[in-house]
Structures are given as C-alpha cells and as structure tokens.
Amino acid sequence: MTPITTTAELAAFCDKLKGQPFVAVDTEFMRETTYWPKLCLIQAAAPSAEAVIDPLAEGIDLEPFLAVMRDPSIEKVFHAARQDVEIFNNLRAMPTPLFDTQVAGMAAGYGEQIAFDALVRQMLKIELDKSSRFTDWARRPLTDAQLTYALADVTHLAELYPTLKARLEKEGRLAWVTDEMSNLCDPANYDVDPENAWRRLKPRKHTAKYLAVYRAVAAWRERTAQLRDQPRGRILKDEAIDEVATQAPTDAAQLDRLRSVPKGFSGSRFGPDLLTAVRDALKDPEGYAPVIERSRVAPSPAAGAVVELLKVLLKARAEDAGVASKLIATVSDLELIANDDNAKTPALSGWRREAFGEDALKLKRGELALVLDGTRVRVVEVRRAPRASAAE
C-alpha cells in the first residue's frame, strides 16, 4: 500500500470525493511531548474512494483535503471526533457537517463512550487488529502493517455509518446526535487564546485578587506552553495555579515556599516571568479578574441526597430509552438540578428535558417515586390523597 505523498496525488483523490454524500476520516497524531498535536497521517474513505495521506511528506500541501473538510455538502464521519476536530480547526478547516459514531453509538444504546473496535465488533461482527495502534506514526517509512491498520479504521467506519444513521432516524434520535455535533463543532471549545485558558480550569474562590492571579498564571502557562511547544503540565501543574492564586507570591522567596511549585522554580527560566505575571495582575485585580456568574440559589442542605436519587432516576430513564446515560446528563448536571429547578444545564432543555429533565423536577417535588422491582428500578407517579376540608 502506498500513501499519498504529493499535492497532485492529493488533489486527484479529493476530486473523487466531490459529490460524495459522506467521507469517513481518521487521523494519527503525536502530542505526548508537545503542546500542538503533530499530524502524522490522515485516512479517508468515501463510498467510491479511499486513501491514506502523508502530511509529513516533503512539499505536500493539504489544502485540497482541507477544502473537503470545509465543504458543507459532504458529511464528515469520525469516531470520538474531539481531538480530530481540534486538529482540523487548528488548520482552519472545521469539519462540518459532522457525524461522530461514538456519540451516535451512545444514542443507539451501544454503551457509554463505546470504543471503535467494540462498535465494529457489535455492528459488523469483525474483530479489528489493533497491534499497530501505539506505533510511532512520525517515523518514516511507514510499514505495510501500519498503513493497513490505518486504512481499515476508515473503511469500517464508512461501512457502519449508514446503518447506524438509519437506525437513529428510525428511532427518532438523529436530532439528539445533531445537537451534540453542534457542540463538538463550536470553535469556542478549541480556543487557544491564553487569556481564556482559565476557563478550562476550576477556580475554587471568587475574590477579585484570587481570580486575577488565577487568570494571569493560567495565561502565562498557556503562552509559555505554546511558544515552547510543550504540554501545559510540563510548565506548571493545575494545582500549582490554584496555590499561586491563593498565596499570590511576589518574590522568589514566597514562590519557593509553595508546596505545589517544583523546588527551585523561582531560579528557573520560568520563575521570573511567572512572578511578573502575578505582580501585573495585582496592579488592578478588580479590572483583570474574570467575571464568573454564580447561582443566586442558595445550595440546598439536601442536595447530596437529591443527587443520589437523580442518579438512580437517570439510570432508569436511560435503560428505558436504551441510551447511554452520559449522553443525557452528567453528575455536574445533576448537582445543578438538585440546587435549582431553573438551572442552566442541557439536561433541562430540548430532548434531554423530555427524556429526563422533566422527571427530575417531578422527583424533586415528590410527584414521582423510585420503586425496586426485582433487580430493576421502576419510576412511578405518586398519587397524593386529597386534603380534607375545614368543615370535615
């Protein structure tokens, strides 16, 4: 098997993709030691064409394929697409419209975050050879075994996609997947602006001083990781950002006293820049601190118990619908609902409200009960006895 290594070959292949209803896509990349993912291979398969593309080939221009990714008339099919979407978004080619077979598999009842080989096994009755999965995709030349493994992923993906989509259409659940695809293709999910890096983390306090330093340190780490092309964690761990924000060190001695900061950090090439970021944030903490919207509803003393009940309800409703519970709601969603009937959460809107959210609110109001029937939990309506009149 020979991969595509020239722009002319790639353009000829992409001409075959024009007019196709869909193209199944997968990538092989390396990012264990880098900030930016290193794209090593692209696999693509449509109903009448398939190929393996070598992005590392000297002189190749990926633009013909990126144009396919941008083409709104061709549906792009991935499995567990998030990291692939990130790569193409970085290349300014958001792959829309998108169909993620992992999300679709969850909606079709194949389990939580089902792996590709498991989905192929269940749907196509084929056992995939995964022996080349963890090979070095950046090393050249690639072996026939690597190329065969890589292409098999997209040929099987192209085979199962029509069946999976038809099943969701028949069961009226295709809109569920479409809703998730909109979220996956939201550019905000792949924002690499250092000033927004704090959004991916979980600040523990809400004071202006803490949040200003938190934002500044997160931005410094993101900027440094990008410039050095190193993973964020190799620059500074997440827990260290919280401790720096809490203690707000302004000199080397204060920085070295922090337990989560590596020993001798202040004297490293990073230390002075980090301290500068902290001091700059402290010049105007009120102006620099991000605004975090806080719920106006006071936490319920019984929220913990309510969350546990909601977990049982979610499992029961997911089993009734034959869908993975994680697609309907997460534990974070349940915690929000436990504290606020009007919480801003996907579980209380759209199809999720119909499948679970409305029942969650009824359970909170005592209008539903959970009954153990053998090994299965049933959800039953609670019939309240009418109140006696004053005359009685």
Side-chain angles (χ1 to χ4, degrees), residues 149-315:
Y149 160 84
L151 187 59
D153 274 358
V154 288
T155 54
H156 294 316
L157 186 59
E159 186 178 356
L160 65 81
Y161 157 72
T163 302
L164 184 56
K165 184 174 183 179
R167 174 172 172 174
L168 293 174
E169 286 178 327
K170 181 179 178 180
E171 296 177 355
R173 296 181 183 176
L174 188 58
W176 299 9
V177 177
T178 302
D179 187 36
E180 285 300 295
M181 296 307 97
S182 297
N183 294 330
L184 262 176
C185 294
D186 184 353
N189 293 326
Y190 311 100
D191 182 12
V192 292
D193 183 347
E195 289 300 325
N196 295 327
W198 67 273
R199 297 180 184 277
R200 285 192 299 271
L201 305 172
K202 295 181 178 180
R204 298 182 182 181
K205 301 177 182 179
H206 292 83
T207 63
K209 179 181 177 181
Y210 171 90
L211 288 175
V213 176
Y214 196 98
R215 178 184 182 183
V217 176
W220 166 82
R221 183 182 71 167
E222 196 78 6
R223 192 176 299 110
T224 303
Q226 290 176 6
L227 290 173
R228 298 183 62 84
D229 196 18
Q230 291 182 335
R232 301 180 186 95
R234 290 198 179 185
I235 307 299
L236 196 68
K237 300 294 184 184
D238 289 355
E239 56 268 26
I241 294 178
D242 174 70
E243 187 177 11
V244 172
T246 300
Q247 300 299 328
T250 56
D251 59 43
Q254 293 174 341
L255 183 61
D256 284 338
R257 284 198 289 269
L258 303 186
R259 296 181 62 182
S260 59
V261 173
K263 187 176 180 180
F265 191 84
S266 68
S268 72
R269 57 184 175 274
F270 298 138
D273 288 342
L274 172 59
L275 288 170
T276 297
V278 173
R279 288 192 289 263
D280 286 346
L282 293 175
K283 291 176 182 178
D284 181 17
E286 294 286 348
Y288 186 65
V291 177
I292 299 179
E293 185 176 345
R294 302 175 67 180
S295 174
R296 297 180 180 180
V297 178
S300 167
V306 175
V307 169
E308 294 306 313
L309 288 173
L310 291 176
K311 287 180 182 178
V312 178
L313 174 65
L314 176 60
K315 186 174 186 299

Side-chain angles (χ1 to χ4, degrees), residues 350-363:
W351 67 267
R352 290 180 176 85
R353 187 177 184 109
E354 294 179 18
F356 168 74
E358 201 61 51
D359 282 350
L361 299 178
K362 288 181 180 179
L363 183 66

